[in-house]
Each structure stands twice: as structure tokens, then as C-alpha cells.
Amino acid sequence: MLILPGQIFSQGDASRVACDSLYQNRCELLVCLSNGRHFAEAYRYLLRNEMANCSGAEVQWARIKVLGANRKYQEARLLLDELRDLYPNEGKYYTENARLDQMELMENYVLPAVVTPLASANSVYNELLAWLENDVPVILSDHPKFAAYFPARKESRIGYDFVSTRDEQPQADWHSSLRKLGFEQLGPGQIISDSILFFTGVREARYDRKSDTRKLEIFEFNLKNKKLKSLPEPINMDGANNAYPCFMPSTGRLIFSSDRPGGRGGMDLWESTLKAGHWSGPKPLPYFINTPSQELFPFVKADTLYYSSNRPEMGFGGMDVYAVDLNSGKQWNMGEPINTPYDDFRLTFVSQEEAYFVSNRPYGTGADDIYHVRWAAAELFFEEITGVAAWPPEAIGEEVHLVDTDHNILQSSVIDVDGKFRFYNVKGYENYEIVLPDVNIPDGLSLDILNSKGRLIKTVTSDLKGSFQLELLDPLDFFIDVITNEDESILDIDIRGAVIPPRGGLRLVLLDSAGVTIGTSYTTADGKFIFESVKPDNTYQIRSEVLNVNDTIHILNGKGQILNSISPGTSKDYIFMRLGTDDRVITLTNEFQQKVRISDTEVFELGRVYFDWDAFDISETGKQALLKLIAVLKVNPHVMVELSGHTDSRGSDSYNIKLSQYRIDSVIRFLELGGIDRKRMSGTGYGEKHLRNHCSDGVECTEEQHAQNRRTEFKIIENSNPQINDSNSK
């Protein structure tokens, strides 16, 4: 993709053709491939060719850009350091170093989204998203003999046809009217209320064929009466390009791109407001949005502005999609999988979960292709996977594709010198095919698949076609490690259960009442599972792709007794109603400011707070747990705490009753010193009446087994006297 003055948006393949003539000069060829941003091909070239004899800053910069685009950040930084020492006046060093940092950081913030090519629209030519009609994208495509976008892929007697993404989508009657209005080019726009089209265009009269120069204008087309008008000054300024309108009817605000004087350079984003039929004087958007680079294709959804820019300091390379909160001014790069080291632009939302954008990433059908993006449901998971095999020597440096069941190429990678390739942001619970299009792979070659932590998750072998079938439906092969809660709350609970009929190795997912995934677990050989330390809620969903309507899940208590039995509904979800209609539910804020729901009969333990034998002083671990309880009580003044103390069986019954009461008194004193009103607390020592295990009098047990019985538990109950609060504490 190359931005040309007066072009709607065009890209030729001239840069790649020019590189072919340099095949005898490896240094110049690498620079040419890098400048043309053919990064995947350039990296394959680096792997296969010795570049030690290539000197000069230009070659070094080319290598740095190629390595960065292929996630070789450490190698790129080493070359950057050499460049800084050899060419100290190269000011680009700091910008490029910051960009590498940004790219590496963005790997940790991958969008939970699925990106697929729009196969029904993409071709060997360039496609550009024009606008949405009834939530269906209308596509503009360039004709082979022109270097600019046209609203057609084929010529007809009446002019040019729009490209529809659905064969059954009827052509709107106003399309033919728009074709006949004398446009040399059409460009992106927006339909307002099914009646007005704002769009970009170049009239035949504004196109100088001798100099091949154009000026872009913004037009308004009435879809009802078929009347067209060019937006007046000050929107369309003579001598400037004005393009890509985004109009907000509720406020009358128009955001568009223009290279008029007063900007920061190139095409900047400007805004104007329509009041009483007149447009206000356009003003540039703030400096943190506009840069000396290009800012294009604005799209506003709710209070967020999305736009595209090829700024060097925040991007992956080429055009990236950015977002900015129009209220706070907070701005961010949209990150993967939307943005890549190539050109990614023109993000247009259909709904909260669905959008389209344009990209020239290398594994597309042609140059600029249309891609569909859907934000994933909460239960879906994404992960990086690595493949490694004993490849034939000719495979090093070759491309490898990740292909879905619809035969779409989702990602492309390169086999490195260590025999590894990587795919990023791969969605779980899917079947894929791994293909090397240019290498003859022998039948039966073993390919190890590793997760992001380097753990082997499965080994697959090549088939007769030389492809590898990667099936990720089996939970044992799924590559997400078990979710754990690093910051456990004292109100967290364990959910135990068993799948009937029992089967081992099944992967289960736990969702809370809001549909958020909060845990995963695998069944043991007898079908049992446990979700440890999850946030208490009144309702949960348990999901698994392999369970069916005939399976049952038993919910168990700590002793293995059945508390509840659940079967799937029509959605194949197992709904566990933890709190019933007879429970007195208390809604609390835990120490991490999360809303939780508990019953006033539930018993919680203060973490692993075990007193030493025959002692009632609080351990350091116990103090940390009590500090959490203090935090909970302070943010929930409407509740009280009821404590219970327990000992092991060693010693007499009467002594243990006293010892457990001493322990409760120690806990209450600690809570009181922490600012909790004494009247909000009560406690009873039960001695050895409620042992957790078999270690009763006369039974030989280990110290660890006895320690399990030395504990302090608590229940949360409603405050019976609302006037009691911590402000009364002294």
C-alpha cells in the first residue's frame, strides 16, 4: 500500500517487481525488500544468505526492520546498538528502539478476537471497504489497467459495478445513479440513516490525465432523490485533499482527513460541526492524534474514535489502527491480531462484536484484502504455539501457513534455522491444517507442537499431502494452562464435582453469572475435578466441548458427598445454582474491590492459618490472612463476623476447649487493633469437636495431618445493629 497525493488509496506491485532486478546484489535486494515492506520474504532471504559483507547504515536499517517485523527483537536491538556506535548521528535510533519496545510490549495485550479473510470479496486486485449498507460491506476494487481504486472489478455497458460481498445482496437502485455522475474515482464514506451518503471522490473534471494528479473531495449524496453536492467551503478547501468523512448525526460533528495548511504534515484529522445548515471552520484534532505522518479513515463508535496512521513511534510498521477515547484523550494501538508489520487500516464496526478492516498482510489473496474481525466470547482462549521438526534442509527459511477448516490462510510464519516456527493468537477449540506450500514434506514426518511455555502438547505427523492436521478439540491437547488466581481472597471458594459417566482428561471451563471465565480444570481418571479459589457467586456455568446431553455433573462437598446434580440445558451449559431461594444471600465487596455473593451459613477459613501445637499466638501467615479480613469488614460495614476456633486431638477435651477459645480471643484482639469494632465480632472455641480428618484420640498421625485440624474459621452475617460500625472503635 502506497499513499499517493490525490489517490483514494492505491498500491501497485512496482516495488516488488523492481526488487527482482537486484537478485545478483544481495545487499541491495534486502534493502529493496525491506523498503517495500515484504518482511516475510526479506526474513527468508536473511536466513538463507550471508550478509556479513553488506555494510552501510541503509543495509543495517533494513535488517533491523526485517528482524523487528518478524519478532526477533533481541537481534534487532543488537544491530541497533551497533548502528548507534557506528553512526552516532543517526537520530532514528531512538525512535526505532522505542518502536521495538512498543511492539514487544503489545504482544502481552492481544485482542481476544478472531480475524478471517472475507473470501467472497477478495481477489488478486486491491479491495477497499467503501461503506456499510444494511450492515453489509460494499467493496471498491481497482481495475487491472489502473493504479487507483474504482467501484468495480468488471466493466459493463452502464459503467462500473460495485462489488458485493453476498451474491444474494441486491444492488441498490441509487448505485446506477451514482455511477453516472462523472466520477474518475470513488472512495470510502458512510451512510447516515439510510438516506444520506457522505463519501470521497474525484470528479473527472478534477483529474489531470497529463500529470496524473487529482484532488479528493467530500460529497453528499441523497439516496432518496439522487441529488449530489460537493460539501462547500470550508470543508472542501481548494488546493487540498479532503477525504474519508465520518459524520455523527447526534452532534452534527464531522471528522475527516485533509492535507490543508495548519496541520502537522501529510493527511491529518480535522473536525467541523454542522449548525443551522452551516459548517464551522475545521479545526485539527489534538497533537497526540495528528502527527507528521498520515492519519486516515476515521470511524466513531460510542465515544471512541478509530483511525489509521503510519506513524513510526507507536506502530508495528506501515499503517496501524489506533483508538482514542474522545472524553479522556486516552489513546492506544489496537494491537494484534488487527495490526501487523504490514498495512492495516479502515476499521469499520458493524456492531459491538463485529467489524471489517483492510490489510495487505502477505498471506492474503491479492494486495489489499478485506478482513472480518469478531470479538470472541468470554469462554474462548487464544495462545501462541510453536512447531518444531527435523525438516529437510530446503525447508529452512520457507513459509508455513496455518489454515482453518474453510481453507482460509489465517497466519503465515517462516521456519527458522532452529527448525521452529510460531503462530500467535491461535483460537482454541478449533481444527487447523499446517501447510508448507513450497516444500515436499515426506509422509510421516513428526511435528512437535509446544505451548508458549515450551511444554509439548502433542505430536502430529504429516499426511500424504505433506500437511499436518492439528486437532485442538480434545481438551487434553488444548494448550492453555489451568487458570489460577494469583491474588486469592479470603472469601474465595473451591467448587468440587464429578462427571458421570466418569472420564479422565476432560477440560472444563467455569464461568460466573456475568459470563466471565474464572477457572479451568481437568477431570481425573474417576471423573472428578476441582475449581480452586474462585470468586463466590450465586450461579455458575460449567462448559465443555466434549460433554453431551446424557452426561451429568455432580457437585460435591469437601468429603465427596453429592450436594447437587446438574444436566445440560439446550445450550449444552451446566448451570450450577450455588445459592438457592432458601439461602439468605449477602452481597459483599472483597478485599480486591470485587462484588461477591455468599450465604450467611457459609463457613470460610482464614487461608492456611495454622497455630503451632499448644500455642495461641498468631503466625505471620495468619496475620496476613487477618489483614485481608480487616479489609473486607471495613468496606462492608453492613456485616458482622462470627469466628470459630478448632484444635487437634492431642490433649484433654477440656484443655482443648480453653486453647481454642484463647486462639479466638487472640484473633479478635488482632481485628480490634486493626480498627474493627468489638461489637461486630463474636467467637467460640470448639476444641477438638470438629476434626477435619481421622486424627482423633489414640490415632497415630503425622504433624501435617494434626496441623490441618488447628484452624480458625468464620462466617459473615448481616449486622443486626446498623448503628454499630468501625467509627466507634477506639
Side-chain angles (χ1 to χ4, degrees), residues 66 87 134 177 275 343 356 468 535 555 562 621 672:
V66 170
Y87 306 97
N134 300 317
S177 299
K275 292 183 178 179
D343 290 316
Y356 296 94
F468 300 88
K535 183 177 68 172
I555 303 299
I562 298 176
T621 303
E672 195 171 11

Side-chain angles (χ1 to χ4, degrees), residues 246-259:
C246 176
F247 183 68
M248 290 158 274
S250 60
T251 61
R253 189 180 185 187
L254 176 74
I255 298 178
F256 62 99
S257 292
S258 178
D259 59 1

Side-chain angles (χ1 to χ4, degrees), residues 320-425:
D320 277 1
V321 178
Y322 294 85
V324 58
D325 188 308
L326 293 174
N327 296 319
S328 67
K330 180 183 178 182
Q331 181 173 222
W332 62 96
N333 184 305
M334 287 293 287
E336 297 178 290
I338 291 177
N339 289 328
T340 68
Y342 302 89
D343 290 316
D344 309 286
F345 53 96
R346 182 61 172 140
L347 182 67
T348 303
F349 282 85
V350 178
S351 65
Q352 189 74 19
E353 300 84 20
E354 186 179 11
Y356 296 94
F357 68 100
V358 186
S359 176
N360 66 352
R361 53 193 66 187
Y363 42 87
T365 304
D368 295 346
D369 286 332
I370 309 297
Y371 287 83
H372 175 264
V373 55
R374 181 179 292 278
W375 272 255
E379 70 273 14
L380 296 182
F381 293 90
F382 299 83
E383 181 63 296
E384 165 192 329
I385 63 173
T386 298
V388 59
W391 305 106
E394 62 271 19
I396 303 302
E398 286 292 341
E399 277 190 306
V400 54
H401 296 158
L402 182 70
V403 182
D404 67 11
T405 53
D406 293 325
H407 308 294
N408 294 312
I409 298 176
L410 302 181
Q411 293 190 46
S412 181
S413 184
V414 175
I415 298 178
D416 226 321
V417 291
D418 58 2
K420 294 181 179 179
F421 64 84
R422 288 179 177 83
F423 293 128
Y424 301 86
N425 202 45

Side-chain angles (χ1 to χ4, degrees), residues 641-644 664 668 678-684 717:
V641 61
E642 185 178 287
L643 298 146
S644 57
I664 287 297
I668 290 176
R678 178 65 179 80
K679 295 177 181 178
R680 294 181 64 192
M681 299 177 280
S682 63
T684 302
I717 58 177

Side-chain angles (χ1 to χ4, degrees), residues 185-198:
Q185 291 189 38
L186 291 181
Q190 174 190 20
I191 293 179
I192 305 297
S193 302
D194 296 326
S195 60
I196 299 295
L197 169 66
F198 289 98

Side-chain angles (χ1 to χ4, degrees), residues 47-48 386-401 413-423 433-450 459-463 465-469:
L47 290 176
R48 293 172 171 173
T386 298
V388 59
W391 305 106
E394 62 271 19
I396 303 302
E398 286 292 341
E399 277 190 306
V400 54
H401 296 158
S413 184
V414 175
I415 298 178
D416 226 321
V417 291
D418 58 2
K420 294 181 179 179
F421 64 84
R422 288 179 177 83
F423 293 128
E433 185 178 15
I434 296 175
V435 179
L436 281 76
D438 300 321
V439 182
N440 291 322
I441 299 298
D443 180 25
L445 179 67
S446 295
L447 172 65
D448 289 340
I449 304 296
L450 316 177
T459 298
V460 294
T461 56
S462 58
D463 55 25
K465 299 184 301 180
S467 303
F468 300 88
Q469 304 301 319

Side-chain angles (χ1 to χ4, degrees), residues 38-197:
H38 305 288
F39 295 125
E41 184 178 355
Y43 183 61
R44 297 198 301 271
Y45 188 76
L46 269 180
L47 290 176
R48 293 172 171 173
N49 293 275
E50 177 58 50
M51 309 300 293
N53 295 327
C54 295
S55 60
E58 189 177 25
V59 178
Q60 288 286 72
W61 278 117
R63 295 173 66 186
I64 290 166
K65 288 196 296 182
V66 170
L67 289 170
N70 287 276
R71 303 175 187 257
K72 306 297 179 182
Y73 304 119
Q74 186 174 359
E75 297 174 44
R77 289 193 181 95
L78 291 174
L79 287 176
L80 262 181
D81 291 340
E82 292 180 16
L83 191 67
R84 179 183 57 179
D85 296 336
L86 293 173
Y87 306 97
N89 295 324
E90 286 280 354
K92 294 188 296 183
Y93 167 84
Y94 301 100
T95 299
E96 184 64 17
N97 199 46
R99 193 179 73 87
L100 289 171
D101 289 343
Q102 172 79 6
M103 291 172 66
E104 192 167 18
L105 179 65
M106 288 295 292
E107 286 191 11
N108 299 318
Y109 299 95
V110 176
L111 289 174
V114 179
V115 170
T116 52
L118 196 61
S120 59
N122 296 331
S123 73
V124 295
Y125 306 122
N126 292 293
E127 278 74 39
L128 180 64
L129 178 61
W131 48 75
L132 298 176
E133 291 182 28
N134 300 317
D135 294 338
V136 176
V138 173
I139 309 301
L140 304 177
S141 180
D142 62 350
H143 192 277
K145 63 182 180 181
F146 296 110
Y149 278 101
F150 279 71
R153 183 179 292 139
K154 60 184 179 180
E155 227 174 323
S156 67
R157 292 180 181 177
I158 58 173
Y160 290 98
D161 291 332
F162 292 93
V163 177
S164 175
T165 60
R166 296 181 185 173
D167 293 337
E168 70 275 13
Q169 181 73 12
Q171 290 282 313
D173 62 349
W174 56 266
H175 283 190
S176 60
S177 299
L178 187 59
R179 295 189 197 103
K180 298 175 183 179
L181 291 177
F183 283 97
E184 191 268 339
Q185 291 189 38
L186 291 181
Q190 174 190 20
I191 293 179
I192 305 297
S193 302
D194 296 326
S195 60
I196 299 295
L197 169 66

